[in-house]
Amino acid sequence: MAADEELGVSDRPCLHMISAFLALEPPGIVISFAREFGGGSLTESVQSCIWRRCISKADLKLQGPFLKRFLKKLIIEIELSGGIVLDELYEYYASCLVPLKDDGANVGNSKLLKTISFIFPNESRELEVRLRSSVNMLEGDTGCSVWPSSLFMSEFILSFPELFANKCCFEVGSGVGLVGICLSYVKASKVILTDGDLSTLANMKVNLELNHLTTGDHTSGSRLHDTKVQCICLPWESASEDDLHCFAPDVILGADVIYDPSCLPHLVRVLSALLKHERLCREKRPIAYIASVIRNIETFNYFLGLAERANLVVTDLTEMIKVSNFLPYLRSYDRPSIKMFRIHV
Ligand SMILES: C[S@@+](CC[C@H](N)C(=O)[O-])C[C@H]1O[C@@H](n2cnc3c(N)ncnc32)[C@H](O)[C@@H]1O
C-alpha cells in the first residue's frame, strides 16, 4: 500500500500540506501541516508523501530557492527529533546546493512558479492556477507579485459566480492575472485584463498561457478555454474616455489598486468613464468591485473624496457578504485585512 494511501491523501492536513507546498508558503507552515498529517511527527510515511506528491514534481529551475529552504528546514527538524531522513530527500537537497547554470543571468529578475489551489467544499482541489511571480513583493515589478486582495477577489468571484457568468468583465491593474483566470473559470463571456506596466503585462500573458488561456483562444475543450481573454496596456493617466467607453463592460474589477495618491485621480476618472457609459436599460448599468487593503487611511479617504466628486456611490460590502474561504491552507494570507467595495453611479 502506498504511504499516502495508508495515511489518507484526501485527509485535510495532507491536502493542505500539498497545497501549501505548491503555493510556496513559508517552509515552517508546510512542515506544520506535514506534522499534523503525521499525527504530530514527520514519519517516514509522511516524508515519502512529501517526496512523491511535492518534491519529485517540483521544478528545480523555477522553484530552486524555495526547495532549498524547505528541504533544509525539513531535514533539520527530522534530525532534531531523532527521526530517519529518507535518502531521496538528502539526495535532492544536495542537488539544490549545486548552482544552476543561469543563476547569474536571473539576478534581480528572479521569478518563481507557484500554484494557487482553490479548495472547494468537497475537499478536492478543483481549480489550480499556476502563476509565475516575483520571489517576494519587494523584488521586481509591483504587478508581478500575487497581492492578497487578488486572492480575496478570486474567492469573491468563486463564491458569487452568477455576478460574472456571461458578463463582459474588465479589470484595472490586473498584475499576475489571477482574477482574470478565475473570471474565465466562472464563464465570464469576455475578460479584459489591463495594466499600465509592460513587464507586468508580459508576465500576465505567460501566466495565461501556463493556465491554457491565450488571448482569443477558443480551440480547446478545457473549461478555462471557453472565455475570450484580452490583455491590454492601459495606464490610467493616458486612457482616453472615448477608448474606455468602447469597452462597455458589465462588471469592472480592481484588486489592490488604491495605494498611490498620485494615481488616484486618474484611477477614479477611468472607473467613472467605465461606469458611466450609456446603456439602454438602467438596471443593466455596470458595477465595479474593488478589493483593497487599507494601509493608509488618508490615501483611502482621498479616494473616497474623489469618487464622491465624480458622483460615484461607494458601498463597503465586507460585512454584508459571505465570501467562502477557498484557501484555508494559505496561512500567510491575511484575509481579515481585506475589504470589498461596490461602486456604481
Ligand atoms: C499592488 S499591484 C496589484 C496587482 C493585482 N491586482 C493583485 O492584486 O495581485 C497594483 C497593480 O496596478 C498597476 N498599476 C499601478 N499604477 C497604475 C497606473 N497608473 N495605470 C495602470 N496600472 C497601474 C500595477 O502595474 C500593478 O499591476
Side-chain angles (χ1 to χ4, degrees):
M1 185 187 276
D4 45 0
E5 278 171 28
E6 213 176 284
L7 288 157
V9 166
S10 60
D11 284 352
R12 185 180 280 254
C14 176
L15 183 62
H16 289 185
M17 175 189 80
I18 296 168
S19 303
F21 177 89
L22 293 173
L24 311 188
E25 278 285 88
I29 291 178
V30 184
I31 293 170
S32 71
F33 283 124
R35 277 192 192 283
E36 215 182 307
F37 173 38
S41 50
L42 299 164
T43 61
E44 285 181 50
S45 295
V46 171
Q47 292 179 48
S48 172
C49 182
I50 293 175
W51 167 248
R52 287 181 302 104
R53 303 293 300 268
C54 302
I55 312 269
S56 68
K57 294 190 175 156
D59 184 331
L60 191 52
K61 214 167 172 186
L62 287 167
Q63 294 158 336
F66 168 78
L67 289 168
K68 193 158 115 183
R69 279 185 296 118
F70 173 72
L71 278 166
K72 183 176 178 185
K73 190 162 175 62
L74 180 68
I75 289 169
I76 289 174
E77 291 207 14
I78 298 167
E79 286 177 343
L80 281 176
S81 59
I84 295 170
V85 180
L86 289 193
D87 287 346
E88 292 93 321
L89 297 182
Y90 275 134
E91 281 160 22
Y92 201 93
Y93 181 57
S95 70
C96 290
L97 298 177
V98 179
L100 293 172
K101 265 190 196 145
D102 55 358
D103 263 3
N106 284 330
V107 171
N109 187 26
S110 35
K111 297 273 194 302
L112 289 176
L113 184 69
K114 56 170 80 177
T115 302
I116 305 293
S117 311
F118 292 91
I119 299 180
F120 287 68
N122 64 5
E123 295 286 296
S124 65
R125 286 199 316 275
E126 207 179 311
L127 174 60
E128 291 191 350
V129 181
R130 301 175 81 211
L131 296 172
R132 182 174 177 264
S133 54
S134 295
V135 173
N136 61 53
M137 286 175 176
L138 302 176
E139 199 163 331
D141 305 296
T142 316
C144 292
S145 294
V146 184
W147 293 82
S149 300
S150 68
L151 296 171
F152 193 68
M153 183 63 93
S154 301
E155 290 185 307
F156 176 64
I157 293 165
L158 298 174
S159 299
F160 302 102
E162 67 284 359
L163 296 178
F164 309 96
N166 304 313
K167 302 266 171 70
C168 172
C169 299
F170 184 105
E171 193 191 10
V172 289
S174 301
V176 292
L178 172 64
V179 164
I181 293 163
C182 291
L183 287 169
S184 180
Y185 182 80
V186 299
K187 295 195 180 296
S189 57
K190 190 170 183 183
V191 178
I192 305 166
L193 303 182
T194 70
D195 206 282
D197 180 61
L198 286 176
S199 58
T200 297
L201 270 178
N203 188 59
M204 190 194 306
K205 285 181 187 166
V206 169
N207 285 333
L208 294 178
E209 277 168 27
L210 277 172
N211 292 281
H212 317 295
L213 276 171
T214 45
T215 310
D217 180 358
H218 291 280
T219 51
S220 158
S222 142
R223 244 190 116 169
L224 285 177
H225 284 259
D226 295 345
T227 307
K228 187 171 170 114
V229 182
Q230 290 181 0
C231 294
I232 296 174
C233 182
L234 188 111
W236 306 327
E237 293 75 0
S238 57
S240 90
E241 262 143 69
D242 284 348
D243 287 348
L244 291 166
H245 285 149
C246 290
F247 291 115
D250 301 303
V251 186
I252 300 122
L253 303 97
D256 220 331
V257 285
I258 302 172
Y259 58 95
D260 179 350
S262 69
C263 293
L264 291 183
H266 307 287
L267 173 63
V268 170
R269 189 181 59 79
V270 167
L271 291 176
S272 189
L274 291 167
L275 286 165
K276 286 181 182 167
H277 70 85
E278 286 304 315
R279 292 256 170 163
L280 293 175
C281 165
R282 196 180 157 77
E283 286 74 58
K284 290 200 175 156
R285 284 254 171 94
I287 291 195
Y289 295 102
I290 303 287
S292 199
V293 176
I294 301 178
R295 300 186 185 87
N296 181 323
I297 190 67
E298 282 172 18
T299 304
F300 192 74
N301 285 338
Y302 178 47
F303 170 78
L304 289 181
L306 290 165
E308 196 181 348
R309 257 173 274 155
N311 294 319
L312 300 181
V313 181
V314 181
T315 310
D316 185 349
L317 294 183
T318 321
E319 302 298 324
M320 295 159 61
I321 51 168
K322 171 124 184 58
V323 175
S324 302
N325 183 356
F326 293 113
L327 302 165
Y329 61 89
L330 275 188
R331 297 219 169 129
S332 61
Y333 158 41
D334 184 11
R335 216 166 174 269
S337 68
I338 302 154
K339 291 197 170 290
M340 178 64 77
F341 299 93
R342 181 180 58 207
I343 307 181
H344 60 90
V345 285

